[in-house]
Amino acid sequence: MQHLEGVAVRVGLVGAADGKALSTVLGCLAGALPSSRDRPALRRLLHATGAVTALPEGWLSCPVAEGAGIAVEVPELIVHNTDVLVAAGALEGEAANTVAAALELGVPVLWVLPDGAVRLLTNRFWRVSTFPVPEGDAVWPALRIWLAAGLSPPPGPPPKALLAIEAGLRLPDRLMWRAHRTALQLLARDTRGAIAADPEQASWGALYGPADALANAYADRYRSSYTIVLTLAALALLAAVMGLRIEHHWPVASMEASCLAGILALVWANTRLDWRSRLIQCRLLAELCRKQAALAYVGRSLPSARIAALTREGGLDWIGWRFAAAVRAGPVPATALSGDALAVARDRAAAVLLHGQRAYHEARVALGRQREARLVRAGAAMFGLTVLFVAVKLGLLAADLGEGAEQAGLVAALLPAVAAALFGFRAYAELELMVQQSEHLVAVLGEAEASLGRIDPAAAGAARYIGDVFERTAAEMLADVAGWIQISRVKAVEAG
């Protein structure tokens, strides 16, 4: 639970600030932070090397080293990794661009004027806005409200899925919960190995691992539940039809009752244990960690505004807050990137975000098409056989062979139950939709790889462009995650 109780904040500094004025600003900023339950907030100040000589008590100095001839990249690194930006001096030239970039990302800016006065900027149109900019003593109450909205935990208790992740819980892989995977394997065998690269950094792997494992376990339970429900429903219908045609009713009636009881038990378990919501929560956190692990290599963070929009509904606010807390408490950039160091960072980020994911989605496209095609053929075969046995029944009736016609009619009545189960599986699995999503992502990832190949790591400004490629790609992938969440929310396991 300790990860759910602490508060961390990253403050960036650009420009040359007077030591006394900066100390005053940081002291007031510390007072505006939301209080932690049992420990003080972790306060980090990111700044260019040599820009700060002394810090007030409770602050950690986190300088970002400047490489030769690439000082312009330092503000870029700072802006993309802070919760509050302190801009000292006149807002002109590069300083004005840095402040504009921060406001575009939704990062509030404390502007320390040359005379020591402080203003709070939160709107990128502040120069032409009709609303006054908070200044002096009015800055800190306004900033406190802003920080509390982003740094404080959401109201109410944490979701059980998040508590399970924090506790490192592992769910047993029982045979029953492999039903969905087995059904897919019967349609088209997946012979892939582990092709998706996992986050390597300890800070992200420690959170990604439990979230990913639980997401897979909850997915098995949720998806296997509807696969088993569809199978039991088909068996119940088969038993009901057969019970009308045989003399001994108890065996088939018992089978029908058992199937219905199994359906009720699975629906109750899904409602009681909420596997679908837990799947969404764990998968979202795992995917956020995967993308942040890649962006961290190139000194970027996922935009907080996009995370807030993604986690605003459906009880995901705790997931968004936990991820944001991990970003703020995680490693800070150690150096500006250029040349060989940038090339290494680019390749590591691509291994996590691009290569493994592209291989995964390319394989999912191929498998999805095979499975969808075979389900369509199986459904068509059931319909064709139904028509055939109805025709046989009519022929036998015309030949006055009543007993044979009755048997053919029984088979014709049983086949639609199998066809209905196949149709229901297709509807729930949504293989065609998954293929379309994967095709889109393959195109996005391919375009990103091509863009990276055209950027020379030794060129001036390369770090910025490479970071933009990864950030844009991560945003596209998050849009896909958002669409998957919307679809999953309406796919409940039901008895009817």
Side-chain angles (χ1 to χ4, degrees):
M1 284 290 292
Q2 60 176 345
H3 298 296
L4 304 181
E5 296 174 353
V7 174
V9 64
R10 302 170 301 168
V11 177
L13 172 62
V14 293
D18 173 78
K20 183 177 179 180
L22 178 61
S23 180
T24 301
V25 168
L26 293 180
C28 294
L29 197 158
L33 294 175
S35 59
S36 176
R37 298 178 186 177
D38 61 355
R39 56 181 176 175
L42 174 63
R43 290 169 256 164
R44 293 168 160 177
L45 180 68
L46 276 69
H47 57 87
T49 303
V52 175
T53 56
L55 292 175
E57 183 179 356
W59 285 88
L60 299 176
S61 177
C62 302
V64 177
E66 296 186 41
I70 56 164
V72 68
E73 303 297 349
V74 172
E76 189 81 8
L77 284 173
I78 292 175
V79 165
H80 281 88
N81 292 280
T82 56
D83 304 294
V84 179
L85 180 68
V86 177
L91 297 187
E92 301 174 351
E94 185 62 32
N97 294 335
T98 301
V99 168
L103 295 176
E104 185 74 28
L105 291 172
V107 177
V109 177
L110 285 173
W111 180 20
V112 183
L113 281 69
D115 62 1
V118 182
R119 295 179 183 175
L120 176 63
L121 311 180
T122 57
N123 187 337
R124 62 193 181 101
F125 302 115
W126 63 275
R127 293 184 185 274
V128 295
S129 175
T130 57
F131 293 95
V133 173
E135 185 174 359
D137 293 339
V139 164
W140 309 114
L143 184 61
R144 183 177 294 110
I145 295 173
W146 186 282
L147 292 175
L151 304 185
S152 298
K160 293 181 179 178
L162 182 55
L163 295 177
I165 292 172
E166 295 294 337
L169 180 66
R170 292 292 192 273
L171 299 181
D173 181 21
R174 303 192 187 284
L175 181 62
M176 176 181 181
W177 305 128
R178 301 176 194 169
H180 184 76
R181 282 184 284 162
T182 301
L184 292 178
Q185 290 287 72
L186 291 174
L187 289 171
R189 187 165 184 80
D190 184 359
T191 58
R192 296 174 295 169
I195 59 176
D198 295 336
E200 296 179 357
Q201 299 105 318
S203 59
W204 290 110
L207 187 57
Y208 171 87
D212 181 65
L214 280 175
N216 291 333
Y218 288 133
D220 283 342
R221 282 155 174 75
Y222 163 64
R223 292 167 182 161
S224 292
S225 292
Y226 69 67
T227 300
I228 296 173
V229 163
L230 291 170
T231 303
L232 292 177
L235 291 175
L237 182 56
L238 292 173
V241 173
M242 292 178 63
L244 299 175
R245 301 297 181 93
I246 63 176
E247 296 181 0
H248 303 287
H249 297 293
W250 274 108
V252 290
S254 299
M255 177 182 175
E256 181 181 2
S258 299
C259 291
L260 295 177
I263 291 173
L264 292 175
L266 282 171
V267 172
W268 177 87
N270 269 273
T271 303
R272 177 71 177 81
L273 300 176
D274 204 10
W275 288 327
R276 180 180 54 165
S277 294
R278 296 187 188 192
L279 160 62
I280 292 173
Q281 292 164 358
C282 293
R283 178 49 57 201
L284 175 59
L285 184 56
E287 291 307 312
L288 290 175
C289 289
R290 186 201 302 273
K291 290 159 182 58
Q292 182 58 35
L295 292 177
Y297 281 120
V298 292
R300 295 295 182 99
S301 293
L302 287 171
S304 57
R306 180 173 290 275
I307 302 303
L310 187 62
T311 60
R312 185 177 296 122
E313 300 176 351
L316 298 177
D317 49 355
W318 266 97
I319 300 300
W321 177 85
R322 177 64 182 94
F323 171 74
V327 172
R328 292 191 299 269
V332 297
T335 183
L337 300 170
S338 66
D340 292 340
L342 177 58
V344 171
R346 176 202 60 194
D347 294 342
R348 289 179 176 175
V352 174
L353 190 64
L354 304 183
H355 304 327
Q357 287 295 287
R358 185 176 182 181
Y360 168 80
H361 285 288
E362 286 176 342
R364 196 170 79 163
V365 168
L367 287 169
R369 285 175 176 166
Q370 291 180 33
R371 290 164 175 169
E372 176 73 10
R374 289 176 182 178
L375 280 173
V376 170
R377 288 198 296 268
M382 291 300 104
F383 178 77
L385 288 173
T386 301
V387 173
L388 174 63
F389 277 96
V390 169
V392 170
K393 175 183 177 180
L394 293 175
L396 292 174
L397 287 174
D400 200 23
L401 299 174
E403 184 175 350
E406 184 176 348
Q407 298 299 324
L410 176 61
V411 175
L414 294 176
L415 286 173
V418 179
L422 293 173
F423 177 80
F425 186 81
R426 279 185 63 202
Y428 262 96
E430 294 183 325
L431 296 173
E432 181 61 31
L433 178 60
M434 292 173 64
V435 166
Q436 293 176 5
Q437 290 175 332
S438 288
E439 287 177 335
H440 170 70
L441 286 178
V442 167
V444 168
L445 297 171
E447 180 182 350
E449 290 179 351
S451 297
L452 291 175
R454 291 191 290 267
I455 300 174
D456 181 5
R464 178 176 299 178
Y465 297 128
I466 288 175
D468 288 344
V469 170
F470 281 111
E471 191 170 315
R472 183 175 63 249
T473 304
E476 288 274 3
M477 296 174 77
L478 282 181
D480 178 73
V481 172
W484 170 79
I485 289 174
Q486 293 297 327
I487 294 171
S488 298
R489 282 174 174 164
V490 299
K491 288 172 58 180
V493 176
E494 299 173 343

